[in-house]
Amino acid sequence: MTDPGYTCTCCGEHHAELPFAYGAPAPAFWQGTDGDVLEEERCVIGGQHYFLRGRVVLPVLDAEDDFEWGVWVSVSKENFFRAEDRWDSPDRVTEPPYFGWLSTELPGYEPGTLNLKTNLHTRPPGERPLIELEPTEHPLAVEQRGGITLVRVQAIAELLRHP
Protein backbone atom coordinates (compact mmCIF):
# COMPACT_ATOMS: atom_id res chain seq x y z
CA MET A 1 0.00 0.00 0.00
CA THR A 2 1.27 3.46 -0.87
CA ASP A 3 1.92 5.94 1.94
CA PRO A 4 -0.80 8.65 1.64
CA GLY A 5 1.33 11.15 3.52
CA TYR A 6 3.93 13.68 2.47
CA THR A 7 7.18 15.18 3.64
CA CYS A 8 6.63 18.85 4.32
CA THR A 9 8.96 21.23 2.51
CA CYS A 10 8.42 23.82 5.28
CA CYS A 11 9.28 21.81 8.40
CA GLY A 12 10.85 18.65 6.94
CA GLU A 13 8.45 16.42 8.93
CA HIS A 14 6.53 13.54 7.43
CA HIS A 15 2.78 14.05 7.83
CA ALA A 16 0.69 10.89 7.76
CA GLU A 17 -2.02 12.22 5.47
CA LEU A 18 -2.32 14.66 2.58
CA PRO A 19 -5.73 16.31 3.05
CA PHE A 20 -7.91 16.73 -0.03
CA ALA A 21 -10.49 19.01 1.60
CA TYR A 22 -10.60 22.11 3.76
CA GLY A 23 -13.59 24.12 4.89
CA ALA A 24 -14.48 27.44 6.41
CA PRO A 25 -16.68 27.19 9.53
CA ALA A 26 -18.55 30.43 8.72
CA PRO A 27 -18.81 33.12 6.05
CA ALA A 28 -16.05 35.72 6.11
CA PHE A 29 -18.56 38.30 7.36
CA TRP A 30 -19.63 36.29 10.42
CA GLN A 31 -19.47 38.26 13.68
CA GLY A 32 -21.84 36.16 15.79
CA THR A 33 -23.89 39.08 17.07
CA ASP A 34 -27.39 38.77 18.56
CA GLY A 35 -29.94 37.59 16.05
CA ASP A 36 -27.38 36.09 13.67
CA VAL A 37 -27.83 32.42 12.85
CA LEU A 38 -25.03 30.01 11.94
CA GLU A 39 -26.03 26.44 11.18
CA GLU A 40 -23.97 23.73 9.54
CA GLU A 41 -25.30 24.48 6.04
CA ARG A 42 -27.02 27.87 6.33
CA CYS A 43 -26.29 31.28 7.81
CA VAL A 44 -28.18 34.54 8.21
CA ILE A 45 -26.44 37.74 9.29
CA GLY A 46 -28.37 40.76 10.47
CA GLY A 47 -31.60 39.37 9.05
CA GLN A 48 -30.46 40.74 5.67
CA HIS A 49 -27.55 38.62 4.41
CA TYR A 50 -28.13 34.99 3.47
CA PHE A 51 -25.51 32.30 2.96
CA LEU A 52 -25.43 28.66 1.91
CA ARG A 53 -22.51 26.28 2.30
CA GLY A 54 -21.12 24.49 -0.72
CA ARG A 55 -18.08 22.90 -2.36
CA VAL A 56 -15.65 24.28 -4.90
CA VAL A 57 -14.28 21.11 -6.49
CA LEU A 58 -10.86 21.14 -8.17
CA PRO A 59 -9.99 18.08 -10.26
CA VAL A 60 -6.60 16.60 -9.28
CA LEU A 61 -5.02 15.53 -12.53
CA ASP A 62 -2.62 12.96 -11.09
CA ALA A 63 -4.83 11.45 -8.37
CA GLU A 64 -8.09 9.52 -8.13
CA ASP A 65 -9.76 12.00 -5.77
CA ASP A 66 -10.73 15.62 -6.35
CA PHE A 67 -9.70 18.44 -4.03
CA GLU A 68 -12.50 20.39 -2.33
CA TRP A 69 -12.74 23.79 -0.72
CA GLY A 70 -15.72 24.03 1.66
CA VAL A 71 -17.02 27.56 1.14
CA TRP A 72 -19.93 29.88 1.85
CA VAL A 73 -21.86 31.72 -0.85
CA SER A 74 -24.07 34.76 -0.35
CA VAL A 75 -27.40 34.28 -2.12
CA SER A 76 -30.53 36.39 -2.45
CA LYS A 77 -33.19 36.17 0.23
CA GLU A 78 -35.55 34.61 -2.32
CA ASN A 79 -33.08 31.90 -3.33
CA PHE A 80 -32.16 31.22 0.30
CA PHE A 81 -35.78 30.51 1.23
CA ARG A 82 -36.39 28.64 -2.03
CA ALA A 83 -33.46 26.35 -1.18
CA GLU A 84 -34.72 26.00 2.39
CA ASP A 85 -38.23 25.02 1.18
CA ARG A 86 -36.70 22.28 -1.01
CA TRP A 87 -33.96 21.21 1.44
CA ASP A 88 -35.21 17.66 1.93
CA SER A 89 -36.86 17.20 -1.47
CA PRO A 90 -35.22 14.72 -3.89
CA ASP A 91 -36.27 16.89 -6.83
CA ARG A 92 -34.21 19.83 -5.58
CA VAL A 93 -31.55 18.64 -8.07
CA THR A 94 -33.75 20.05 -10.84
CA GLU A 95 -33.46 23.58 -9.44
CA PRO A 96 -31.72 26.06 -11.72
CA PRO A 97 -28.43 27.32 -10.26
CA TYR A 98 -28.62 30.15 -7.73
CA PHE A 99 -26.40 33.15 -8.41
CA GLY A 100 -24.18 34.08 -5.48
CA TRP A 101 -21.01 35.76 -4.29
CA LEU A 102 -18.20 33.70 -2.80
CA SER A 103 -18.10 34.65 0.88
CA THR A 104 -14.97 32.78 1.93
CA GLU A 105 -11.45 34.16 1.69
CA LEU A 106 -9.33 31.18 0.69
CA PRO A 107 -5.64 31.36 1.56
CA GLY A 108 -2.97 31.49 -1.09
CA TYR A 109 -4.88 33.20 -3.88
CA GLU A 110 -3.98 36.58 -5.33
CA PRO A 111 -6.15 38.43 -5.90
CA GLY A 112 -8.33 37.23 -3.03
CA THR A 113 -11.38 35.03 -3.45
CA LEU A 114 -13.94 37.11 -1.55
CA ASN A 115 -16.89 38.21 -3.72
CA LEU A 116 -16.10 36.15 -6.81
CA LYS A 117 -19.26 35.51 -8.85
CA THR A 118 -20.65 31.99 -8.52
CA ASN A 119 -23.50 29.69 -9.40
CA LEU A 120 -24.67 27.32 -6.67
CA HIS A 121 -25.90 23.97 -8.01
CA THR A 122 -28.11 22.01 -5.63
CA ARG A 123 -27.42 18.32 -5.16
CA PRO A 124 -29.53 15.46 -3.75
CA PRO A 125 -30.52 15.75 -0.07
CA GLY A 126 -27.52 15.06 2.14
CA GLU A 127 -25.02 16.40 -0.42
CA ARG A 128 -23.63 19.91 -0.26
CA PRO A 129 -24.20 22.09 -3.30
CA LEU A 130 -21.51 22.42 -5.94
CA ILE A 131 -20.17 25.93 -6.45
CA GLU A 132 -19.26 26.90 -10.00
CA LEU A 133 -17.10 29.98 -10.34
CA GLU A 134 -17.58 32.49 -13.12
CA PRO A 135 -15.11 31.42 -15.83
CA THR A 136 -12.60 34.25 -15.37
CA GLU A 137 -8.82 34.27 -15.21
CA HIS A 138 -8.86 34.33 -11.41
CA PRO A 139 -6.45 31.59 -10.23
CA LEU A 140 -9.22 29.71 -8.38
CA ALA A 141 -11.48 29.73 -11.45
CA VAL A 142 -8.57 28.56 -13.62
CA GLU A 143 -7.88 25.70 -11.18
CA GLN A 144 -11.55 24.70 -11.17
CA ARG A 145 -11.62 24.52 -14.96
CA GLY A 146 -8.17 23.07 -15.62
CA GLY A 147 -7.42 21.06 -12.49
CA ILE A 148 -4.44 20.94 -10.17
CA THR A 149 -1.68 18.44 -9.39
CA LEU A 150 -0.66 16.63 -6.23
CA VAL A 151 2.19 19.13 -5.92
CA ARG A 152 -0.43 21.91 -5.63
CA VAL A 153 -2.47 19.88 -3.11
CA GLN A 154 0.69 19.56 -1.00
CA ALA A 155 1.43 23.29 -1.36
CA ILE A 156 -2.08 24.07 -0.06
CA ALA A 157 -1.58 21.65 2.86
CA GLU A 158 1.73 23.30 3.74
CA LEU A 159 0.24 26.78 3.50
CA LEU A 160 -2.53 25.85 5.90
CA ARG A 161 -0.25 23.93 8.27
CA HIS A 162 2.37 26.71 8.35
CA PRO A 163 0.50 30.01 7.80
Side-chain angles (χ1 to χ4, degrees):
M1 182 171 173
T2 316
D3 180 4
Y6 67 101
T7 301
C8 185
T9 63
C10 295
C11 66
E13 290 184 32
H14 183 78
H15 300 292
E17 183 180 348
L18 180 59
F20 274 71
Y22 295 95
F29 311 104
W30 176 252
Q31 299 289 319
T33 57
D34 286 343
D36 291 349
V37 177
L38 177 63
E39 297 174 349
E40 190 172 331
E41 307 297 328
R42 300 171 275 205
C43 178
V44 179
I45 298 176
Q48 298 178 11
H49 304 284
Y50 300 87
F51 304 88
L52 295 171
R53 195 171 188 168
R55 304 174 298 136
V56 173
V57 176
L58 308 179
V60 181
L61 304 174
D62 51 352
E64 292 182 18
D65 296 323
D66 292 331
F67 180 87
E68 294 186 13
W69 286 112
V71 300
W72 291 88
V73 172
S74 171
V75 296
S76 70
K77 179 179 182 178
E78 295 76 22
N79 283 341
F80 180 86
F81 285 107
R82 184 173 175 87
E84 193 169 76
D85 288 344
R86 290 157 180 75
W87 199 256
D88 294 318
S89 173
D91 64 344
R92 76 182 196 175
V93 298
T94 63
E95 282 290 291
Y98 303 146
F99 174 79
W101 299 96
L102 190 62
S103 299
T104 302
E105 187 67 74
L106 298 174
Y109 290 96
E110 285 297 328
T113 59
L114 205 55
N115 293 321
L116 292 176
K117 292 180 182 179
T118 67
N119 278 309
L120 182 144
H121 298 269
T122 55
R123 307 291 298 155
E127 288 185 35
R128 283 200 175 122
L130 291 175
I131 308 302
E132 173 191 15
L133 295 161
E134 179 183 37
T136 65
E137 291 307 307
H138 188 280
L140 181 59
V142 170
E143 288 181 341
Q144 187 177 50
R145 286 192 313 272
I148 61 176
T149 64
L150 280 170
V151 169
R152 174 71 173 132
V153 174
Q154 181 174 333
I156 293 169
E158 291 175 357
L159 175 68
L160 293 170
R161 187 176 289 272
H162 304 285

